[in-house]
Amino acid sequence: MPPLKAAFLLLFALWWVILAIFYLFPGLDIAASRAFFITTGCNVDAPAGKVCGHFPIAFNVSLGPLRDFFFWLPVVLGVSLIYRLILVWSEHGKTYDAALSARLKAGIVSLLLGPVLLVNVFLKEVSDRPRPRNTDVFGGLLDFRPVGDFSGACVSNCSFISGEAAGAGWLFCYALFLLPPRYTTLLMPVLIAISLISPVMRLAYGGHYLSDVILAWLSSVVIFVGTLYAFTRGHAHPTHSRQQRTLI
């Protein structure tokens, strides 16, 4: 079995295993979010049993620009892949790098299929899972729902799964497979760090549960590897490394 195909099948199975674990043990999600939640005293007119408090990082305005940067970075890099693909297509004959073209197409398609369509267009609109900050466990009005339970009261832009974490998962794959080699030493550690920090920020903001960010991040990796296999199975060995080294 080709390595990419085997990796895809293993990652796909792992995604479902993680989903099952968090569904069977929902306390894992609550405990992870509670680590970032500060409980405060309630007003005297608060209903009995109400939880009062907040996620402090959500009020840190200095982190706003950083979060915006993390959010838009995959989009910018996705557009850059289109530009790089056009440059590859402009080559003809012996200078045309079919393997690089296949990888770039895989990067573009996986970004559209994963973070854009699967996560933001579909799952976040149909899952109905309330975000942590909106649930009664953390001072909100809606009932907590375990991951995989689509019976929540969230109407739109719900918690399952995290769009930003999905973008971060795609960014991780970009760093490993699509970063031009001459930038690898400098940029790969930075991009991988961003791909890990961004999901943690969503958890700390009270915007998503731990399962939301893990499954979102991993979903992009699964889709990327599967798409990469589909596009590159006939181009396993790049033939023109010179162009790959110099292409921006």
Side-chain angles (χ1 to χ4, degrees), residues 15-29 129 144-151 160 211-212 215:
W15 193 92
W16 286 102
V17 169
I18 293 174
L19 175 66
I21 291 173
F22 277 97
Y23 179 80
L24 294 173
F25 303 98
L28 295 173
D29 270 335
R129 190 187 197 193
F144 169 82
R145 286 292 184 271
V147 65
D149 182 341
F150 284 22
S151 65
F160 182 79
S211 59
D212 295 322
L215 291 171

Side-chain angles (χ1 to χ4, degrees), residues 39-50:
T39 303
T40 60
C42 296
N43 296 328
V44 293
D45 56 346
K50 178 177 175 56

Side-chain angles (χ1 to χ4, degrees), residues 100-186:
L100 179 57
S101 173
R103 290 198 303 278
L104 294 175
K105 286 185 288 186
I108 296 168
V109 171
S110 63
L111 179 62
L112 294 175
L113 288 179
V116 176
L117 293 178
L118 175 65
V119 178
N120 286 294
V121 174
F122 180 65
L123 284 177
K124 289 173 69 68
E125 297 303 317
V126 304
S127 62
D128 298 335
R129 190 187 197 193
R131 298 172 182 270
R133 59 174 176 254
N134 299 133
T135 60
D136 51 3
V137 180
F138 298 105
L141 301 176
L142 305 180
D143 292 336
F144 169 82
R145 286 292 184 271
V147 65
D149 182 341
F150 284 22
S151 65
C154 175
V155 176
S156 180
N157 193 25
C158 303
S159 190
F160 182 79
I161 47 184
S162 169
E164 290 173 54
W170 181 88
L171 188 65
F172 177 82
C173 296
Y174 176 94
L176 295 183
F177 294 98
L178 296 172
L179 190 64
R182 66 175 177 173
Y183 299 124
T184 298
T185 302
L186 176 64

Side-chain angles (χ1 to χ4, degrees), residues 163-210:
E164 290 173 54
W170 181 88
L171 188 65
F172 177 82
C173 296
Y174 176 94
L176 295 183
F177 294 98
L178 296 172
L179 190 64
R182 66 175 177 173
Y183 299 124
T184 298
T185 302
L186 176 64
L187 294 182
M188 182 181 288
V190 176
L191 294 178
I192 290 177
I194 292 174
S195 77
L196 299 176
I197 293 172
S198 179
V200 174
M201 286 182 62
R202 297 308 295 138
L203 177 64
Y205 265 82
H208 293 281
Y209 289 102
L210 179 61

